[in-house]
Amino acid sequence: MSTIQVFTDTGSDMTNELIAQGIKIVPLYITFDGKESLKQMIDLDLEEFYDRMRKPHDFVPKSSLASIQDYYDIFEKELQEGNDVLYICMSGKFSSTLGAANNARDMLLEEYPDRKVVVVDCNTISYGQHYITKVAKEMIDNNKTLDEVVEVIEDIKPSVHYFFTVESLNYLRDGGRIGGGAALLGEVLNIKPVLKIEDCHIDAVGKVRGRNKSLDAILDELIKFMEGKNIDDYEFVLLEGDVPEEASEYKKEVLERLNLKDIVTCKLGISIGLHAGPGTMGLGVMKRYKG
């Protein structure tokens, strides 16, 4: 009986934890100068990434997907070793990564028709992707079938919601999310957006003046979302963009107002940190897998 090797990509964040559990990571790319493509978390770790983001730079950093050849080579190695592949991919709405992985899968299945390469769009990114990947690995380790794993993933996917705010609007401006005039005015007036990601769509649900009010506002939005729901049925996460001390203080308020004993703190990785920038703070919620 073949082993099913679980993969995800660097969009999942907290990748060292996943690697420790036997999950393999496909590195995506980033460039700071338009020329040299660096493999995320291999050529560039989070400490260096945030350091470079905070320094003045003329070129807007860009992320790029792993190539079809990257996926082909990574997955073929598993097939040659007698393993099948399950790849939990970041949302196809955020990146073209999904298309590259599917193309590689189709090529491989022509050459290895008796093997399995399953690519699943997790419809999210960051800790939602991380959590779904952990669940998939747990199920595989407990001898669940691929069909059973995919069924659970499909159940969790629509439950993932994020509420967040940013420290500076300049990174959203650089990424084309808002205009330069809006960013300048927001910086002058200390306006902070209150944003929501639902079904991979980013929507502004409000704006407030000042950092503290923005943190209160995203917590208010999460509490509103949880009205009428059983809190024990959900996983929660605090997302922070390289502001660990502020996140530690904010965590206390989150635990108190949600009446939780603890909450996962996830340092935002390159895929979101690139667009939202250092100082981003967010809260996430998703349906808990209870086995």
Side-chain angles (χ1 to χ4, degrees):
M1 183 176 178
S2 62
T3 298
I4 300 170
Q5 177 60 55
V6 179
F7 284 85
T8 189
D9 50 66
T10 46
S12 61
D13 294 347
M14 296 172 66
T15 51
N16 285 339
E17 179 183 315
L18 297 178
I19 291 169
Q21 295 176 18
I23 295 161
K24 294 187 177 182
I25 309 296
V26 179
L28 307 181
Y29 293 84
I30 182 173
T31 176
F32 278 89
D33 57 8
K35 299 175 183 178
E36 182 185 12
S37 289
L38 304 173
K39 286 186 176 181
Q40 297 181 17
M41 307 310 294
I42 295 177
D43 301 324
L44 184 76
D45 63 22
L46 279 183
E47 183 177 355
E48 184 180 359
F49 164 72
Y50 278 110
D51 182 58
R52 294 182 70 167
M53 286 292 286
R54 286 188 169 98
K55 292 178 179 177
H57 43 268
D58 296 329
F59 186 85
V60 177
K62 300 288 185 183
S63 61
S64 59
L65 63 157
S67 68
I68 296 173
Q69 190 64 51
D70 286 339
Y71 283 110
Y72 185 95
D73 292 342
I74 291 168
F75 293 163
E76 184 182 38
K77 182 179 179 181
E78 295 298 327
L79 300 182
Q80 289 175 338
E81 293 178 357
N83 300 328
D84 291 329
V85 169
L86 171 63
Y87 172 46
I88 313 296
C89 183
M90 78 154 64
S91 170
K93 297 174 183 176
F94 284 131
S95 168
S96 300
T97 299
L98 179 68
N102 280 330
N103 285 331
R105 175 204 60 198
D106 293 344
M107 294 165 60
L108 285 165
L109 291 180
E110 287 185 5
E111 297 187 37
Y112 300 86
D114 297 328
R115 309 316 306 274
K116 292 181 180 179
V117 179
V118 177
V119 177
V120 179
D121 181 350
C122 73
N123 202 44
T124 187
I125 195 171
S126 188
Y127 189 76
Q129 180 179 353
H130 177 104
Y131 180 72
I132 286 171
T133 303
K134 283 202 307 182
V135 168
K137 173 63 173 169
E138 178 184 338
M139 294 184 70
I140 293 296
D141 288 347
N142 287 322
N143 298 315
K144 301 296 184 182
T145 67
L146 278 172
D147 287 343
E148 289 173 316
V149 173
V150 172
E151 182 180 353
V152 168
I153 291 173
E154 293 299 322
D155 183 53
I156 295 175
K157 280 163 55 170
S159 72
V160 181
H161 287 68
Y162 295 124
F163 306 93
F164 67 103
T165 188
V166 298
E167 188 174 66
S168 170
L169 295 170
N170 292 334
Y171 301 100
L172 293 175
R173 175 204 63 199
D174 291 345
R177 302 292 180 180
I178 61 172
L184 178 60
L185 184 61
E187 292 294 310
V188 171
L189 297 177
N190 197 24
I191 297 297
K192 306 297 182 185
V194 181
L195 304 166
K196 175 178 71 173
I197 301 180
E198 179 181 14
D199 191 29
C200 293
H201 294 291
I202 302 176
D203 296 309
V205 294
K207 55 185 178 180
V208 296
R209 185 171 293 180
R211 176 71 165 182
N212 290 338
K213 288 183 179 179
S214 71
L215 297 180
D216 288 341
I218 61 173
L219 182 50
D220 289 342
E221 290 294 328
L222 175 58
I223 291 171
K224 187 190 307 181
F225 174 79
M226 289 303 300
E227 288 179 358
K229 298 180 177 68
N230 184 350
I231 203 166
D232 293 330
D233 292 337
Y234 290 84
E235 291 283 329
F236 297 88
V237 61
L238 191 160
L239 306 158
E240 58 97 358
D242 199 38
V243 281
E245 293 181 1
E246 183 183 31
S248 180
E249 287 302 310
Y250 184 47
K251 178 179 178 178
K252 297 173 185 177
E253 181 182 358
V254 173
L255 293 177
E256 181 179 352
R257 292 191 59 193
L258 283 173
N259 194 26
L260 295 173
K261 292 183 179 179
D262 201 6
I263 185 173
V264 174
T265 300
C266 173
K267 186 171 183 177
L268 284 170
I270 294 172
S271 295
I272 284 193
L274 181 68
H275 300 289
T280 298
M281 195 80 79
L283 296 168
V285 60
M286 63 218 67
K287 186 181 291 187
R288 175 175 294 165
Y289 171 66
K290 296 184 177 181

